[in-house]
Amino acid sequence: MSFSSRVKEELSRQESPARHCRIAETAAIISLCGKVEIDEDDSYSIKISTENVAVARKYFTLLKKTFNISTEIMIRRNAYLKKNCTFQVSVPKDADARKVLLATKLLDEHGEIGENLSVVGNLVIQNPCCRRAFLRGAFLAAGSISDPEKFYHFEIACVTEAKARQIQNIIATFDMEARIVRRKKYFVVYIKEGSQIVNLLSVMEAPVALMELENIRILKEMRGSVNRQVNCETANINKTVSAAVKQIEDITYIRETEGLDKLPENLEEVARLRLERPEASLKELGEALNPPVGKSGVNHRLRKLSILAEELREKGTALDGEGAVQRNEEENYDKKNNHD
């Protein structure tokens, strides 16, 4: 069972004690996956279709406990996908359908089908507890949530933009920011922030799923923190090794050209110590000196050695250039005399 299915299974078993909250949840389910039909005799009937048995069970339970009415349940199996079933829950009687539609404010006193999508003026979602129930019903009817092990994504798909705006505004009343994107014929209300999805699960009253998501978030954050620390330490080690290699090259060049014994005593001491301990850090080198020296002091001496090595290289290059000119002149002179 997917994480989204587990969340819906948990929410389907969440029962609101207050009748007005059950009405709000019923309104959301009918609005997002239901259909109101009117026959030639002006008789109303309501049908909702879902592929999730938990949603069908929840809708059936809501109608039974809130309105004490009978429903018809039909199961249709896909001929091509044998495991895929569609559950249809119907309220066929006109009196029962009118009772439900009037209570959910989907039918006005004049018999007109409509819905007040205002968060402020809609009596069905006037109380915070009813807005919680409405979001729960909306998610059950048309929502999904990704596996948090992979990425964070919560969404509710709506047929109309007005409905998407209503759900976005309801979410905003709980200090969360949802976005809307057009996807084919649907307007999708979505949240990608892990912490906000946790808050939304709390709003919809899914504590088990909330704890599961929180545990995954903590583990992912710990892994991320460890990886960042390891990467930082690896970068520091690489930087230290590169600096040590350069220092050893400079000291070796000085030793081969001038000799370390011609250096000042403090530079000679740190140069010989660096050659003996190529893997040591600046702190370790400083502690090995007599008397001990701090990291900045060791770094200062090694920089002096580096500058000295560069000066010797430049001097050697200049001398090599002068020698090359002199050799060319001698070769030209010899060629001229031999020709004569």
Side-chain angles (χ1 to χ4, degrees), residues 32 142 155-168 179-190:
L32 284 159
E155 69 174 43
I156 297 174
C158 307
V159 176
T160 66
E161 185 177 2
K163 172 57 67 177
R165 294 291 175 195
Q166 181 194 34
I167 292 173
Q168 182 187 41
R179 298 181 183 277
I180 298 174
V181 65
R182 181 76 180 266
R183 188 187 299 157
K184 294 182 180 178
K185 63 178 181 179
Y186 293 102
F187 294 87
V188 180
V189 184
Y190 71 92

Side-chain angles (χ1 to χ4, degrees), residues 51 76-87:
E51 293 182 356
R76 292 181 178 176
R77 190 179 297 277
N78 191 313
Y80 300 100
L81 302 172
K82 293 184 179 180
K83 292 183 180 179
N84 234 17
C85 293
T86 300
F87 302 91

Side-chain angles (χ1 to χ4, degrees), residues 205-225:
E205 297 176 291
V208 176
L210 184 153
M211 289 304 299
E212 184 179 349
L213 179 54
E214 274 288 55
N215 288 337
I216 292 170
R217 282 185 68 226
I218 291 168
L219 285 173
K220 287 175 77 172
E221 287 177 5
M222 285 179 63
R223 288 194 203 108
S225 177

Side-chain angles (χ1 to χ4, degrees), residues 49-76:
S49 296
T50 177
E51 293 182 356
N52 193 313
V53 64
V55 178
R57 184 179 63 239
K58 181 61 180 288
Y59 180 62
F60 173 85
T61 304
L62 284 170
L63 293 178
K64 186 68 177 174
K65 290 192 173 183
T66 309
F67 302 100
N68 193 27
I69 59 177
S70 300
T71 56
E72 293 180 358
I73 301 175
M74 183 181 298
I75 302 174
R76 292 181 178 176

Side-chain angles (χ1 to χ4, degrees), residues 274-305:
R274 169 51 88 193
L275 292 176
E276 292 171 5
R277 302 180 60 180
E279 78 291 343
S281 64
L282 296 181
K283 183 180 179 182
E284 291 169 341
L285 289 176
E287 291 172 350
L289 292 172
N290 187 21
V293 177
K295 284 172 62 177
S296 60
V298 174
N299 191 43
H300 178 69
R301 294 183 188 185
L302 289 171
R303 275 207 310 270
K304 278 192 173 182
L305 289 169

Side-chain angles (χ1 to χ4, degrees), residues 110-125:
H110 305 294
E112 296 291 331
I113 297 292
E115 185 177 358
N116 179 6
L117 300 176
S118 167
V119 175
V120 178
N122 193 335
L123 295 175
V124 174
I125 52 174

